[in-house]
Amino acid sequence: MQSFLYHNASNTTLTVGSNESSQFLFVFDRSVEACTISVDIEEHAIAQILVWVVGANDWNIPLTIRMQHNGNCSNGSARVRAILRNSSRNTFTGNVIIPKGIKDAESYLEYRAMLFDHSRATATPALEIEEHPLKAGHAATIGRVDEDQLFYLQTRGLSEVQATELVTQGFFGELLESISDPKHKEEVRTLLLSKPETELSRVLG
Amino acid sequence: MNPTQQNTPSTTTPQSQDYAYGFSMPEHPVFKSAKGLTQAIVNEISSVKKEPEWMRQFRQKSLSIFESKPMPSWGGDLSDINFSEIYYYVKPSDRVVRRWEDVPADIKTTFDLLGIPEAEKKFLAGVGSQYDSEMVYHSLHKTLSDQGVIFVDTDTALKQYPDLFKEYFATIIPTADNKFSALNSAVWSGGSFVYIPKGVEVKLPLQAYFRINAENMGQFERTLIIADEGSSVHYVEGCTAPSYTTNSLHSAVVEIIVKRGARVRYTTIQNWSHNVYNLVTKRAYVYGDGVMEWIDGNLGSKLTMKYPSVYLMEPGAHGEILSLAMAGTGQHQDAGGKAVHIAPHTTSTIISKSVSVGEGRTSYRGLVKVYPQAHHSKSHVKCDALLIDEHSRSDTYPTMDIRNDFTTIEHEATVSKIGEEQLFYLMSRGLDENQSQSLIVNGFIEPIVRTLPMEYALELNRLVQLEMIGSVG
């Protein structure tokens, strides 16, 4: 599987040709202009989009993912993880399009955001399905750190800050594991850890 | 299902094979307004109804708001609606009667065909029926009226309970909320007015039935339900219209106030014929520890755009929206719900099930909004779509706008086609393809059917079967 990494990308148009499979990794860790990621998926192609959003310091990160199925048996998935702190904002619009005549497409759209300190998230993961898909689904969750998880970790001797960081690390880490290219996996990990805003490095160090 | 072709629909009884409620009765209106919408017609409606001056002014103001607002550019295709071709007010009978025997014969026949008196016989708590623009029949179980329960048509409420009426009317859905709420505010007629006093629990459901008989008719009923502290009520409405070749418009406004600790369930089985534009605004304000449940079944109409909403105003308020949409060829159901968390410790659930048959199109459109002060609020949204044919279409447009970091919001959705294996299994047990499909669809919508009173659950199952007939492509 081919792998491409984008750091704070602006508008990006992608195509995955017939029988190809590609993974597109996006990391956003500062305020950006409205960014639209648009991907066309041809016959028997597989496109995976993985996105990490780190929000801090009143940053505004508006993000749109448009995924169009152009061939039979095309397979697309887009998964977003956002950790938003310090009054940052993330607006996510997802749009999966399966036009008439495209058979047996498979599509999945997922948005999960964790909010801290008066941050805001707005999510619209939309599906427009004009033809029988093999499978099409979407999911979204927005919320704060799970209290039970925090409590458990604190009973094991971690401070509240440490426990929070461990949980957020797991939240990002789940998606890190899906990266197929080992070099890119390391790069994304470094990007996410190097941010003092995430405070991950402090916990792990 | 196509509307039956009829040259003189108002004097014959078109029997559409597809649409079970496609009969129509000869029109004998006592008063029918001219076509189209003008200041003069709005004044005329108000004077025929002998309304107070404030209501006439309210209608005129609403008319100018309606004219100033653009048509919505989202949702379904509204380009075929011609506001000047619609009769805004038809009065079928010159007084509201309380005894079934007094209802004019042809209106009675229509309702007999719909099964209204049977409902009465089953000791249902109260039945109100709206025929074209006016409520013609209204009764309320005596024990309930002794407890102070009010269930009358909205016009009567304006005359009999002017203070209560004025206190709540148009407070939940302001005239300028959207173009169609403004239209309704200008030409509203009929609908139900329900008041449940403190602590009164109405055990049997209150029922209303709405029917459009006249061609090119607009129906604009206005319903207001007030559940005072600690009370509970279940209100059920059904809707039908005969199959005419030209389009009719139904644009209702439903306002509900659920006070502290009260509980309201509002069930709709909408089965308009397939030439009715159904553009309805429904909203409930829920106060501390109150519960509002919308159960919204949309099977009929050409285009439905309806998103029942709950506004959770005080801590402990809970809102639930169960939406069922079924669209056949030529139909577009744009349905869903809105949950707005204004106070902390509020919870909401939205469950949407949609089925597209033939070239039918269903859309889920929803909003979950959490205001900054609404900490510890929780919302769960689940929408499932089932596509029966290759040409069916399903869209999902959920929006979550979360402005507080101390909340839990979940949304999930799936779109699937009817399972070949399930079909094969059922057919191997001796069912034909149609029966098997109906059974699978019934299973899919079961969580919604379960919440209905029995007669409605039966009707719904039967309607679903009717929709499924001949759907195998």
Side-chain angles (χ1 to χ4, degrees):
Chain A
M1 185 178 276
Q2 290 175 285
S3 179
F4 305 89
L5 175 61
Y6 303 82
H7 189 198
N8 292 321
S10 48
N11 292 348
T12 310
T13 308
L14 307 164
T15 305
V16 184
S18 299
N19 300 309
E20 288 180 10
S21 58
S22 300
Q23 206 167 47
F24 304 101
L25 317 169
F26 290 84
V27 176
F28 293 93
D29 54 9
R30 64 169 164 82
S31 243
V32 293
E33 296 283 306
C35 170
T36 301
I37 301 165
S38 181
V39 58
D40 286 85
I41 312 169
E42 305 297 331
E43 201 164 343
H44 288 284
I46 299 173
Q48 290 180 0
I49 302 172
L50 303 175
V51 185
W52 294 265
V53 177
V54 182
N57 308 331
D58 296 311
W59 294 343
N60 185 18
I61 305 171
L63 178 64
T64 302
I65 297 179
R66 189 185 140 280
M67 202 154 68
Q68 173 143 355
H69 289 258
N70 282 339
N72 296 341
C73 304
S74 46
N75 183 319
S77 75
R79 296 164 74 194
V80 183
R81 291 285 188 278
I83 294 182
L84 306 174
R85 292 168 193 273
N86 303 339
S87 308
S88 57
R89 274 171 297 155
N90 177 212
T91 310
F92 172 72
T93 309
N95 202 0
V96 169
I97 303 154
I98 303 180
K100 218 166 239 326
I102 303 298
K103 307 280 183 204
D104 291 330
E106 205 174 329
S107 212
Y108 185 63
L109 190 59
E110 184 185 271
Y111 176 83
R112 302 203 189 281
M114 216 177 243
L115 305 185
F116 298 91
D117 335 307
H118 307 292
S119 297
R120 274 171 54 182
T122 308
T124 310
L127 305 175
E128 292 187 357
I129 294 173
E130 297 181 41
E131 184 68 62
H132 261 170
L134 192 65
K135 224 189 248 171
H138 62 181
T141 54
I142 302 172
R144 59 182 286 110
V145 180
D146 189 321
E147 296 283 328
D148 291 345
Q149 290 177 353
L150 280 190
F151 179 74
Y152 175 79
L153 291 172
Q154 284 176 348
T155 64
R156 313 295 287 187
L158 270 67
S159 73
E160 193 181 334
V161 173
Q162 287 172 322
T164 308
E165 291 313 324
L166 203 58
V167 174
T168 50
Q169 188 202 353
F171 180 73
F172 267 166
E174 200 190 334
L175 216 55
L176 278 175
E177 291 312 309
S178 307
I179 302 178
S180 57
D181 181 298
K183 201 173 116 276
H184 280 158
K185 187 189 279 188
E186 225 20 70
E187 271 180 58
V188 173
R189 193 191 299 275
T190 313
L191 273 175
L192 296 175
L193 291 181
S194 68
K195 291 290 126 193
E197 293 81 13
T198 67
E199 294 179 24
L200 281 182
S201 41
R202 198 154 54 89
V203 178
L204 298 174
Chain B
M1 297 206 285
N2 295 314
T4 314
Q5 293 287 324
Q6 279 292 331
N7 294 327
T8 52
S10 58
T11 52
T12 54
T13 306
Q15 286 294 347
S16 161
Q17 285 191 327
D18 299 329
Y19 185 58
Y21 301 110
F23 57 86
S24 78
M25 300 305 293
E27 276 182 60
H28 299 300
V30 174
F31 173 81
K32 187 169 181 175
S33 70
K35 262 188 198 176
L37 188 54
T38 60
Q39 287 190 355
I41 284 183
V42 169
N43 276 340
E44 209 174 330
I45 293 174
S46 194
S47 74
V48 168
K49 289 170 170 290
K50 300 188 184 67
E51 286 177 349
E53 176 61 18
W54 74 268
M55 183 53 79
R56 193 191 65 79
Q57 284 174 8
F58 173 83
R59 287 178 184 275
Q60 288 296 354
K61 202 180 101 207
S62 306
L63 178 64
S64 55
I65 292 172
F66 166 72
E67 283 164 348
S68 69
K69 281 199 179 274
M71 284 291 261
S73 55
W74 48 274
D77 178 10
L78 297 167
S79 57
D80 271 355
I81 300 182
N82 186 348
F83 289 109
S84 60
E85 278 299 308
I86 290 169
Y87 292 103
Y88 285 88
Y89 180 61
V90 180
K91 190 175 185 180
S93 159
D94 49 2
R95 68 205 158 96
V96 178
V97 287
R98 288 184 69 86
R99 277 174 51 222
W100 183 247
E101 295 77 57
D102 299 340
V103 176
D106 55 344
I107 293 179
K108 214 152 103 176
T109 320
T110 306
F111 284 137
D112 273 339
L113 286 165
L114 290 171
I116 297 291
E118 273 79 6
E120 169 80 298
K121 278 174 208 150
K122 284 175 197 151
F123 299 102
L124 287 158
V127 174
S129 290
Q130 179 152 2
Y131 193 84
D132 292 343
S133 303
E134 294 282 349
M135 276 279 178
V136 291
Y137 174 54
H138 226 122
S139 80
L140 183 60
H141 218 259
K142 193 170 171 307
T143 49
L144 287 177
S145 49
D146 288 347
Q147 284 177 302
V149 173
I150 300 171
F151 179 31
V152 293
D153 70 88
T154 312
D155 293 289
T156 306
L158 174 59
K159 293 190 183 75
Q160 283 183 7
Y161 310 98
D163 298 338
L164 199 58
F165 187 94
K166 214 172 166 178
E167 187 181 344
Y168 294 106
F169 181 77
T171 56
I172 307 299
I173 301 173
T175 306
D177 189 76
N178 63 70
K179 189 174 179 75
F180 293 96
S181 67
L183 175 65
N184 175 286
S185 300
V187 297
W188 73 269
S189 185
S192 302
F193 180 90
V194 179
Y195 174 78
I196 314 292
K198 274 185 192 169
V200 173
E201 288 188 23
V202 181
K203 295 236 163 49
L204 293 160
L206 297 175
Q207 297 202 20
Y209 218 97
F210 299 97
R211 185 171 167 81
I212 296 176
N213 193 56
E215 191 177 10
N216 272 3
M217 167 70 196
Q219 181 160 321
F220 306 96
E221 90 267 9
R222 181 111 196 173
T223 292
L224 183 56
I225 298 177
I226 304 143
D228 217 325
E229 292 176 14
S231 66
S232 80
V233 65
H234 182 186
Y235 179 89
V236 189
E237 65 171 4
C239 329
T240 62
S243 303
Y244 288 127
T245 49
T246 51
N247 296 326
S248 299
L249 172 62
H250 172 249
S251 181
V253 167
V254 176
E255 299 175 282
I256 298 180
I257 296 134
V258 183
K259 295 210 174 170
R260 196 170 281 276
R263 190 177 188 103
V264 175
R265 174 182 280 189
Y266 190 108
T267 299
T268 307
I269 302 296
Q270 178 267 109
N271 187 33
W272 295 118
S273 63
H274 294 187
N275 53 350
V276 173
Y277 284 93
N278 187 38
L279 311 166
V280 176
T281 313
K282 290 182 166 174
R283 187 172 303 161
Y285 276 20
V286 190
Y287 293 92
D289 299 317
V291 178
M292 175 68 212
E293 294 170 288
W294 291 105
I295 296 160
D296 199 39
N298 291 299
L299 292 105
S301 84
K302 179 178 186 173
L303 168 68
T304 288
M305 284 169 71
K306 178 162 63 163
Y307 322 98
S309 327
V310 284
Y311 282 57
L312 306 165
M313 311 296 288
E314 285 179 358
H318 176 69
E320 209 155 296
I321 301 163
L322 297 179
S323 172
L324 166 67
M326 192 151 177
T329 300
Q331 284 185 284
H332 182 185
Q333 307 283 12
D334 199 283
K338 286 194 252 181
V340 181
H341 295 256
I342 292 160
H345 297 280
T346 49
T347 48
S348 65
T349 306
I350 302 176
I351 295 174
S352 159
K353 297 262 181 188
S354 61
V355 183
S356 310
V357 185
E359 290 177 24
R361 178 175 172 194
T362 55
S363 310
Y364 168 81
R365 197 179 297 277
L367 170 72
V368 175
K369 189 164 184 169
V370 177
Y371 276 89
Q373 69 275 22
H375 52 86
H376 290 95
S377 51
K378 281 188 183 165
S379 179
H380 180 78
V381 181
K382 183 171 168 54
C383 31
D384 294 330
L386 188 63
L387 303 177
I388 306 289
D389 289 270
E390 288 184 14
H391 307 294
S392 319
R393 170 167 182 186
S394 170
D395 305 325
T396 316
Y397 306 99
T399 299
M400 281 148 278
D401 185 356
I402 312 306
R403 300 176 183 202
N404 182 291
D405 57 58
F406 221 110
T407 52
T408 308
I409 309 299
E410 296 168 334
H411 174 96
E412 51 183 313
T414 59
V415 179
S416 53
K417 62 176 172 183
I418 207 155
E420 295 290 330
E421 285 162 35
Q422 291 172 322
L423 267 186
F424 178 77
Y425 173 78
L426 289 170
M427 286 165 73
S428 74
R429 313 290 287 189
L431 298 176
D432 68 28
E433 194 165 352
N434 260 323
Q435 289 169 324
S436 311
Q437 284 193 342
S438 304
L439 202 63
I440 293 168
V441 171
N442 278 338
F444 178 75
I445 63 171
E446 200 267 344
I448 303 222
V449 176
R450 204 167 49 196
T451 65
L452 299 175
M454 197 188 64
E455 318 83 275
Y456 281 87
L458 286 174
E459 185 190 349
L460 189 69
N461 276 337
R462 211 166 44 78
L463 288 173
V464 167
Q465 255 154 25
L466 278 172
E467 286 267 336
M468 298 293 301
I469 287 174
S471 65
V472 185

